[in-house]
Amino acid sequence: MNGELKKKTDEELAAMVAGRATEAVCSELFARYERKIFLWCYNYMHDTEEAIDATQEIFIRIFRGIGGFAGRSAFSTWVYRIARNHCLGELAKTRHRFRTRTVPVDDRETLDCADGESARSMELGGDLDRLVGVARRVMRPEELDAFVLHYRDGLSVREVTRILGCGNVTGARTLIQNARRKFRRMIREGESGNERS
């Protein structure tokens, strides 16, 4: 049965959980999202134990509310929205505040995927988590969220817009472009730093 579950989409698994949650189905869905949600939480919390706790709480919310998943968006979008709202709620309790975005962007401007390929190749090499830690120092939290969702998790700009609650795709595109620019600068400075050493 596990082989059959692996072939099912997230949405199919969600419908199975909503209908009649078996341990195998829940485990498969958990396995697909555990690492992503933990990394998402860690990006907000900057603390391993807090991120683990938040991940567990988010999964409780997901499994309790899965019957409310209507399929109007991808299951991953629904999951990330729950994760983001939970993390923002936790941060509000500790009085962290996010700055507002002010950089305009042209709607016609397209995003290239070179940075996405760089990010994915770094993940394969095991460097992405370290780079995300460094990026946290140069990117605003919402830029880092957009960058991770778009390039690491492969979500479209429209999905990023919904998850981050941007008013329109222009807001998400701005975040991604700003993050991409900072990522490129960070990589260039890292490479020149390596050459000097």
Side-chain angles (χ1 to χ4, degrees), residues 23-78:
E23 188 175 335
V25 176
C26 290
S27 294
E28 177 63 27
L29 209 50
F30 180 79
R32 291 182 186 187
Y33 284 92
E34 176 188 23
R35 182 170 172 9
K36 291 177 181 179
I37 291 177
F38 169 78
L39 290 173
W40 178 268
C41 293
Y42 188 81
N43 285 338
Y44 279 94
M45 313 289 179
H46 313 298
D47 179 89
T48 302
E49 292 301 317
E50 286 181 22
I52 290 170
D53 290 344
T55 300
Q56 291 170 349
E57 291 167 15
I58 288 165
F59 271 105
I60 289 169
R61 286 184 177 202
I62 289 168
F63 286 122
R64 282 186 182 159
I66 207 161
F69 171 64
R72 288 188 295 272
S73 62
F75 182 74
S76 59
T77 302
W78 184 77

Side-chain angles (χ1 to χ4, degrees), residues 10-195:
D10 294 348
E11 291 75 14
E12 290 171 328
L13 291 174
M16 291 171 73
V17 171
R20 183 170 162 240
T22 64
E23 188 175 335
V25 176
C26 290
S27 294
E28 177 63 27
L29 209 50
F30 180 79
R32 291 182 186 187
Y33 284 92
E34 176 188 23
R35 182 170 172 9
K36 291 177 181 179
I37 291 177
F38 169 78
L39 290 173
W40 178 268
C41 293
Y42 188 81
N43 285 338
Y44 279 94
M45 313 289 179
H46 313 298
D47 179 89
T48 302
E49 292 301 317
E50 286 181 22
I52 290 170
D53 290 344
T55 300
Q56 291 170 349
E57 291 167 15
I58 288 165
F59 271 105
I60 289 169
R61 286 184 177 202
I62 289 168
F63 286 122
R64 282 186 182 159
I66 207 161
F69 171 64
R72 288 188 295 272
S73 62
F75 182 74
S76 59
T77 302
W78 184 77
V79 166
Y80 283 123
R81 189 173 295 135
I82 290 171
R84 180 176 188 268
N85 289 342
H86 180 80
C87 290
L88 288 175
E90 290 301 307
L91 289 176
K93 289 178 190 173
T94 57
R95 300 176 189 213
H96 288 285
R97 298 189 186 272
F98 293 133
R99 288 174 283 184
T100 57
R101 359 183 214 288
T102 57
V103 182
V105 68
D106 185 341
D107 279 330
R108 295 178 305 247
E109 193 171 341
T110 58
L111 302 175
D112 64 37
C113 63
D115 298 304
E117 291 308 314
S118 298
R120 280 190 275 283
S121 66
M122 286 172 196
E123 182 168 31
L124 293 175
D127 290 336
L128 189 59
D129 290 341
R130 179 184 57 79
L131 282 172
V132 166
V134 174
R136 186 178 297 115
R137 290 180 285 202
V138 298
M139 293 181 193
R140 295 187 344 237
E142 61 271 23
E143 290 171 343
L144 185 60
D145 290 345
F147 185 81
V148 166
L149 286 170
H150 186 65
Y151 289 122
R152 187 192 71 196
D153 297 340
L155 299 182
S156 71
V157 175
R158 289 198 185 288
E159 290 172 314
V160 173
T161 300
R162 283 193 294 269
I163 291 168
L164 298 183
C166 300
N168 54 47
V169 294
T170 301
R173 190 174 286 126
T174 299
L175 292 174
I176 293 167
Q177 290 172 338
N178 289 344
R180 186 181 67 218
R181 188 180 66 251
K182 291 176 182 179
F183 180 77
R184 282 183 178 160
R185 187 167 53 233
M186 184 181 81
I187 295 299
R188 275 196 307 271
E189 289 171 2
E191 286 171 355
S192 59
N194 289 340
E195 288 167 11

